[in-house]
Amino acid sequence: MKPQNETVITLQSRSCNESYARSAVACFFAQLDPTVEELCDIRTAVSEAVTNAIVHGYREQMGVIRITARIYPERRITIAVQDRGCGIPDIQKAMEPLFTTSLDGERSGLGFSVMQSFMDRVRVRSAPGKGTTVTLERTLRGKDAHD
């Protein structure tokens, strides 16, 4: 299915860009008039995906993160966060709660679990040495939706 609208954001893998990424993506989806809760969920999931690319994908090196946000019919959205970092050798293991590749002990290993809790679907494609793409999907209900 073809998107009705999309934007692409490219940024360096600096931790200071994480807040920009989550805000820019949330602003793009504001055109759908989502609830405050939906916007917070989007911001949190994007924040986790971008942080994973910075901390785990590129580790101590500088690289580029590409974010593609798309709007589809019936308020379905996707956000693809792509890096060209080290890749994930075992995606299933990486998605387990509390698993982390961080050696400094400062990471909880909950990034994918957090993304899954705020999105309808999380898909991960990765190849060692080539990078990772995390695709977040959700259908927004919006302020006018009834329970």
Side-chain angles (χ1 to χ4, degrees), residues 3 6 9 14 16 19 31 45 47-48 61-62 64 70 75 80 94 101 107 111 117 120 128 140:
E6 78 176 49
I9 302 163
R14 298 179 187 280
C16 62
S19 62
Q31 65 189 284
S47 181
E48 290 295 332
Q61 299 177 2
M62 193 57 52
V64 173
R70 293 185 172 114
R75 302 173 61 80
T101 60
R107 301 292 166 185
S117 70
D120 295 335
L140 301 178

Side-chain angles (χ1 to χ4, degrees), residues 32-35 38 75 139-147:
L32 294 173
D33 199 23
T35 65
E38 287 172 328
R75 302 173 61 80
T139 299
L140 301 178
R141 295 184 64 194
K143 294 176 183 171
D144 296 330
H146 300 290
D147 290 318

Side-chain angles (χ1 to χ4, degrees), residues 16-89:
C16 62
N17 287 333
E18 178 270 326
S19 62
Y20 165 69
R22 70 176 179 233
S23 296
V25 171
C27 284
F28 175 71
F29 291 127
Q31 65 189 284
L32 294 173
D33 199 23
T35 65
V36 171
E37 181 180 351
E38 287 172 328
L39 280 177
C40 288
D41 292 353
I42 291 166
R43 288 172 52 92
T44 301
V46 168
S47 181
E48 290 295 332
V50 170
T51 297
N52 276 359
I54 293 167
V55 172
H56 302 291
Y58 289 116
R59 297 186 179 151
E60 300 296 320
Q61 299 177 2
M62 193 57 52
V64 173
I65 298 171
R66 178 185 169 106
I67 303 168
T68 305
R70 293 185 172 114
I71 297 172
Y72 291 91
E74 299 180 17
R75 302 173 61 80
R76 189 172 69 84
I77 64 167
T78 65
I79 306 142
V81 178
Q82 179 183 45
D83 68 65
R84 296 286 183 207
C86 65
I88 302 171

Side-chain angles (χ1 to χ4, degrees), residues 87-120:
I88 302 171
D90 186 343
I91 295 170
Q92 188 172 356
K93 180 77 173 168
M95 293 184 79
E96 289 178 9
L98 304 179
F99 177 82
T100 183
T101 60
S102 177
L103 302 175
D104 62 12
E106 292 185 24
R107 301 292 166 185
S108 65
L110 293 173
F112 284 121
S113 295
V114 169
M115 287 181 246
Q116 289 170 323
S117 70
F118 290 114
M119 293 287 126
D120 295 335

